[in-house]
Amino acid sequence: MHFYFFTFSGKAKTAFALFLTLILGTGATSADTIEETFENVTIVDADGNPLTSSWSPGTGLSNGWRIIGGTLYANDNGDYGLIHAAGKGFELSDYYFTSASTSVNNAYVFIPTPLQGEVLIWARSNLNASSKKTSSLKVYEATADGKVETSVLLYSAEPEKGVSTWKPFKFTIEDEGGKYIALNLVYTDIDNFTATTAEGTQEPAVLTVSTETIGFGTVSSETTQTFTVKSNVTTSVSFTLTGTGADAFSIIDAPATLAANVQTTIGVTMNATEPGDYEATLVITASELTQQITLTGTWEEKSDDPDTPSDWTGEDFTGLDDIPAEWTIADDAEWTIDDWWLDTCPALKGLSGGILTPMFTIGENQGLEFYFQKGMTFDNWSSKCTVSYTTDKVRWTEVESYDQYSDNGTKTITFPEPGNYYLELRVNAVAYFDDFRIVELTTTGISEIANRKSSSSKCFDLQGRQWSKASKGLCIENGKITLKK
């Protein structure tokens, strides 16, 4: 049922909500009242870190409200999934929960208390009257642990577009024992929420963890990652590692008990004794409740001398029928040695996924150079490529990104300091790579150009980068170098 006989803003909504509750009754006079005004709340992620521009699944609202089933984030059409403050600092300060940006919202606001009787929500559309989109407020049944029963729709409303004032929406939960509910918002803001808890009900114990998987990637030294665990009741807790790879992992400072509604951060460390791929299952048990986290990682041997130079200095793929053995190919990648550009110049062709070079050593004033060329174009959309480097295959730094607007040609990657690195190239669609090599940055250009393979015309600028139509630079035509001034 919709109420449109009054419009309110600010603290007036709170007063009217109480008045409406007195007139209509609650349906459970001896039960507790639950109310959310969204004032003085701190939004945090699943690890308890305050968020200012986005809201990951986790907790943060008073009364234990949380986001489940997805991530609410800031997007192009406004603050999506944020507590918004309008007129902050004035007498009629107005805080509200805003959801916008997409007509498909798979995230839900979960209220972890069984409700019974009248539920009152103030809402408004955040669409213009001329918009062809639709605002909606939907209420679904949920389980005590936050699973949304999307097949059980308890209430649905469409706030009027082009109306900026708040209006009350009310529905009734008549089931004995009450129901848990989850709100789904599309182009809709909500404010003051008032309801009553189900009389005589006891909240069941719930155990939650912040993740279902922890991947360590490839490491060669002891590495620790963290996760969080939380229960709504005080309970004993245990952490058990199982599986063939269990010996490669350990739990740091695991507590024996969990305090009710306190988020606890736990560390898990990977430190294997032999190289190889490892996988284990971490089982968290609290009373009769259990949660599991899958742990994975690859352990590599590490040189006692981290400054030992790598033997790899480059690759031109000449004479190869397959990818060199020392290169690493992602599981989702398709790569092949292919004849392209010129028949005499075989190179690496990427279809999708990523490829990782062998480790190489960068000295003072050195960089890594390679030739890049876009491949097929689908509906005017060309290959895209991102280039990142790492020292440990765990922490990555993206340094370049090429798309349909980028020029083909030789690319030079620089690094923050001398050391041992890996370079990763990830593409979608098709891209070609050739002539990987470490170069002296101070001599990149003329001293390197003469070594480039060519049986037709290629032109380069004075830094050694290829260009197609320029007025100055070096041209190699059938093996002869010409300087155009």
Side-chain angles (χ1 to χ4, degrees):
M1 180 177 180
H2 296 197
F3 293 86
Y4 293 110
F5 43 85
F6 288 109
T7 60
F8 297 87
S9 62
K11 300 184 183 299
K13 293 195 299 298
T14 304
F16 182 75
L18 295 175
F19 170 76
L20 192 61
T21 301
L22 291 173
I23 294 298
L24 298 174
T26 64
T29 56
S30 61
D32 293 332
T33 299
I34 177 174
E35 184 176 4
E36 177 62 86
T37 63
F38 304 107
E39 295 191 30
N40 301 318
V41 294
T42 300
I43 312 304
V44 297
D45 64 16
D47 294 323
N49 301 312
L51 295 173
T52 57
S53 62
S54 63
W55 193 358
S56 299
T59 60
L61 288 173
S62 61
N63 301 316
W65 292 29
R66 68 178 187 267
I67 298 298
I68 59 174
T71 300
L72 299 181
Y73 53 92
N75 208 331
D76 53 353
N77 292 331
D79 292 331
Y80 181 22
L82 301 178
I83 298 299
H84 184 80
K88 186 175 181 180
F90 296 92
E91 182 179 357
L92 296 180
S93 293
D94 186 17
Y95 294 77
Y96 58 91
F97 180 58
T98 175
S99 175
S101 301
T102 178
S103 57
V104 178
N105 180 4
N106 294 320
Y108 300 84
V109 183
F110 174 60
I111 302 172
T113 303
L115 304 178
Q116 187 179 42
E118 307 292 351
V119 178
L120 176 65
I121 305 175
W122 290 81
R124 68 182 182 186
S125 169
N126 51 45
L127 295 174
N128 295 325
S130 59
S131 175
K132 295 182 180 180
K133 302 171 183 177
T134 301
S135 296
S136 67
L137 163 63
K138 295 181 180 180
V139 182
Y140 293 92
E141 185 175 351
T143 61
D145 59 357
K147 178 182 178 182
V148 181
E149 303 289 354
T150 55
S151 62
V152 185
L153 180 63
L154 302 177
Y155 176 76
S156 179
E158 295 183 1
E160 184 180 358
K161 294 182 291 187
V163 178
S164 61
T165 51
W166 297 94
K167 297 185 179 180
F169 295 85
K170 182 177 71 71
F171 61 96
T172 302
I173 299 176
E174 298 178 348
D175 300 64
E176 185 176 354
K179 287 184 178 295
Y180 291 88
I181 67 172
L183 312 179
N184 180 261
L185 309 175
V186 176
Y187 298 118
T188 295
D189 305 333
I190 64 171
D191 202 347
N192 294 25
F193 175 99
T194 306
T196 52
T197 58
E199 186 176 4
T201 60
Q202 183 176 0
E203 187 175 1
V206 176
L207 176 68
T208 59
V209 293
S210 58
T211 183
E212 295 180 352
T213 60
I214 295 178
F216 284 84
T218 301
V219 295
S220 55
S221 60
E222 181 176 304
T223 304
T224 299
Q225 296 198 42
T226 62
F227 65 95
T228 62
V229 60
K230 183 178 180 181
S231 177
N232 62 341
V233 296
T234 297
T235 180
S236 60
V237 64
S238 63
F239 302 84
T240 306
L241 288 164
T242 64
T244 56
D247 292 342
F249 305 95
S250 59
I251 306 302
I252 301 176
D253 299 329
T257 60
L258 296 175
N261 298 315
V262 175
Q263 188 164 264
T264 304
T265 300
I266 312 295
V268 56
T269 295
M270 183 176 185
N271 190 12
T273 58
E274 298 290 338
D277 298 326
Y278 292 88
E279 180 174 334
T281 300
L282 172 60
V283 181
I284 303 104
T285 304
S287 298
E288 298 180 354
L289 304 173
T290 62
Q291 294 284 358
Q292 295 185 352
I293 300 176
T294 300
L295 309 177
T296 59
T298 298
W299 188 264
E300 272 192 349
E301 289 283 7
K302 183 178 181 181
S303 170
D304 293 334
D305 181 3
D307 297 324
T308 300
S310 168
D311 293 334
W312 189 83
T313 58
E315 176 63 69
D316 63 6
F317 305 104
T318 301
L320 294 178
D321 296 325
D322 202 352
I323 299 166
E326 64 269 26
W327 289 61
T328 303
I329 309 299
D331 292 339
D332 59 345
E334 295 182 64
W335 302 84
T336 183
I337 300 295
D338 193 16
D339 292 341
W340 61 276
W341 189 23
L342 298 170
D343 291 340
T344 58
C345 184
L348 189 66
K349 178 174 72 174
L351 302 177
S352 65
I355 185 169
L356 189 71
T357 70
M359 186 186 74
F360 55 89
T361 300
I362 290 295
E364 292 285 350
N365 298 319
Q366 285 187 330
L368 183 69
E369 192 176 80
F370 64 93
Y371 180 82
F372 165 77
Q373 180 168 308
K374 293 171 290 189
M376 299 179 183
T377 299
F378 304 99
D379 297 328
N380 296 321
W381 176 73
S382 297
S383 308
K384 295 183 180 180
C385 171
T386 58
V387 182
S388 304
Y389 66 74
T390 181
T391 59
D392 55 11
K393 297 185 181 179
V394 176
R395 293 170 291 272
W396 298 86
T397 300
E398 182 177 318
V399 288
E400 293 288 350
S401 180
Y402 312 121
D403 57 21
Q404 60 265 41
Y405 305 107
S406 301
D407 292 332
N408 297 331
T410 299
K411 310 297 182 182
T412 302
I413 305 300
T414 59
F415 302 87
E417 59 185 5
N420 295 330
Y421 294 90
Y422 302 85
L423 196 74
E424 183 189 55
L425 301 103
R426 298 195 68 87
V427 303
N428 54 358
V430 179
Y432 297 93
F433 309 96
D434 196 10
D435 288 344
F436 285 82
R437 57 197 176 162
I438 297 172
V439 296
E440 298 293 331
L441 297 178
T442 54
T443 59
T444 299
I446 296 177
S447 63
E448 298 286 347
I449 289 171
N451 296 322
R452 298 184 188 276
K453 295 172 289 187
S454 177
S455 61
S456 64
S457 177
K458 285 191 200 176
C459 295
F460 304 87
D461 62 22
L462 295 182
Q463 281 72 47
R465 302 180 185 276
Q466 188 183 26
W467 49 267
S468 57
K469 295 180 181 180
S471 58
K472 297 180 180 180
L474 289 172
C475 279
I476 304 176
E477 296 179 325
N478 298 320
K480 296 181 180 181
I481 300 177
T482 304
L483 176 63
K484 291 187 176 182
K485 300 182 179 180

